[in-house]
Amino acid sequence: MTKSRGEDALSEAEAPGSRAWIIDPLCHQDAKGLSPDAVPREEEEEDRDSLKHQDGEDEDEDLDCEEDEELEEDEEDSPENEQRPRRRGPKRKKMTRARLERFRLRRMKANARERNRMHGLNAALDALRRVVPCYSKSQKLSKIETLRLARNYIWALSETLSSGKSPDLVSFVQTLCRGLSQPTTNLVAGCLQLNPRTFLPEQSPDPPPHLQPSSASFPLQPYPYQSPGLPSPPYGNADSSHLFQLKPQAYSAALEQLFEGALTDCTSPSSFDGPPSPPLSINGNFAFKHDPSTDFEKTYAFTMHYPVTSSTGTDGHGLVYSGAGPRCDIPIDNSTLTYDGQSHQERGMGTQLIFHD
DNA sequence: TAGGCCATCTGGTCCT
DNA sequence: AGGACCAGATGGCCTA
C-alpha cells in the first residue's frame, strides 16, 4: 500500500468537508499538510458547537491576510449569525497576520509530532508483525489482526507453558486463529501448511462487543484450550527467553520438560549459544530460518544487554532487528523506543517461522 | 461500488 | 507553555 501522504494531507486540508473552522482561502499557500483553514482556538474564541454545525459557513468570515491587521470580521453582520445565539464571553481578539503565523507554526509542529508518534507506533506494530507467527511480506497483517494474533499467540504460549504439555498443532492453530478474520486465518493456515477447514469449524466468530473480554480481562477468560501433548516448542518464531525472564520459578518445571534441559543452559548467559532447541518441525510442516548471527544477541538477551547496531551506530536502539537478515532492518525512532519496545525478538530472534510467499 | 484499512490533520485533555 | 496522547473526521487506495 503505497501512496503519497503529502498529497493526502494537502487534499485533505483543502477538502470542503474537513474540519476547517474558519476558512481562509486567500492564505491557501500552505501545501505541507497544515490546514490553512484553521484558526487557533485561543485566538478565535468561537463556540465549538456552533462551529461544528456551520460546515463552511465561516467562509464568510474570511480573514484577509493580504492586507489586514483587522483580520476579524464582525459577527453580527453575518446573516447566519443572526440565527444563532450570540456568542458569550469576551470578544475574541483580532486575528493578525502574526497570530496566524504563530498558529500555523504551532500546528505544523504538532502535526509533525503526531506523524512521528504514529510512525513510531506503526514501527512497533511492524515489529510485532514480524514476531507473531506467519509473517509475510506480501500479505501484511492489518493492525487489528496483528494485535489479535499476538494476543492469541501469547495466550497459546502461556497455556503451553502453564500446562507443561505440548499442544498438538491443530489446537495450537485453533487458539492462534480465535477471532481472526478469514483472510488472516487462511494466512495462518497457509503458514502452517494446514487446511483451514481442519480447524475452522471450531472457530467461533467474534462475539458482540459487550460480550468480548477486554484486553485487560483476557487472561481471566481464557480460551478452552487442550494440550494433548506432543511436539515441543518453540513454535514458529517463539523465543522463550522472555519467558525465562518473566517467571523462571513458576515455569521452570514446564520449561525443563518443553525444552529438555535447555533451560539450564539458557539461564547461564555465558553458556547459551543457540536456540533452546533445534529448529522444530511439527509434522514436518514448519519451515524455520535460523540465522546463526543472532546467537550472539541471544547471549546478550539473557544478560540484559542490547546489541549496538551498525546502521545507527550510536546507542544500539536504532534498529530493532539486528540479526535476522532484511527483516531486521526496521529503523526505530530512538525517542520512541523504550524497554517495552524491546521485546524478546529484539534481543535476538534466531528462529523465525517464515511464510513462503 | 461498498467496505476495509490506512495516514493525516485536528482539537481536547492531561501532564511536566 | 509545550509535548504526549487520544479520538473524531476525512479522503485515498485497494479489493471483493
Side-chain angles (χ1 to χ4, degrees), chain A residues 133-136 139 141 145 149 173 176-201 203 355-357:
Chain A
C134 308
Y135 171 70
S136 169
Q139 192 172 350
L141 289 178
E145 292 292 272
L149 181 56
V173 176
L176 285 182
C177 295
R178 295 290 173 108
L180 299 184
S181 68
Q182 183 65 56
T184 307
T185 300
N186 291 340
L187 179 62
V188 173
C191 183
L192 304 180
Q193 298 183 23
L194 282 180
N195 186 339
R197 283 176 291 186
T198 60
F199 56 88
L200 271 181
Q203 179 181 0
F355 175 56
H356 297 285
D357 306 317

Side-chain angles (χ1 to χ4, degrees), chain A residues 270-298:
Chain A
S270 59
S271 63
F272 181 80
D273 60 351
S277 63
L280 180 69
S281 175
I282 298 180
N283 299 336
N285 288 334
F286 278 5
F288 287 98
K289 175 183 179 181
H290 176 242
D291 186 346
S293 65
T294 60
D295 291 348
F296 170 78
E297 295 171 19
K298 276 185 173 293

Side-chain angles (χ1 to χ4, degrees), chain A residues 84-122:
Chain A
R84 289 180 296 169
R86 199 164 188 273
R87 184 177 60 85
R88 298 182 182 180
K91 191 174 179 64
R92 63 190 184 188
K93 298 176 183 178
K94 308 285 187 183
M95 190 58 192
T96 65
R97 188 181 302 179
R99 285 185 212 280
L100 192 59
E101 284 306 309
R102 279 202 301 273
F103 172 73
R104 285 181 170 176
L105 185 60
R106 218 161 49 223
R107 270 316 330 165
M108 287 176 67
K109 289 169 66 176
N111 290 345
R113 284 195 305 270
E114 181 66 9
R115 271 197 305 272
N116 288 336
R117 195 181 70 86
M118 296 309 297
H119 290 168
L121 187 61
N122 289 338

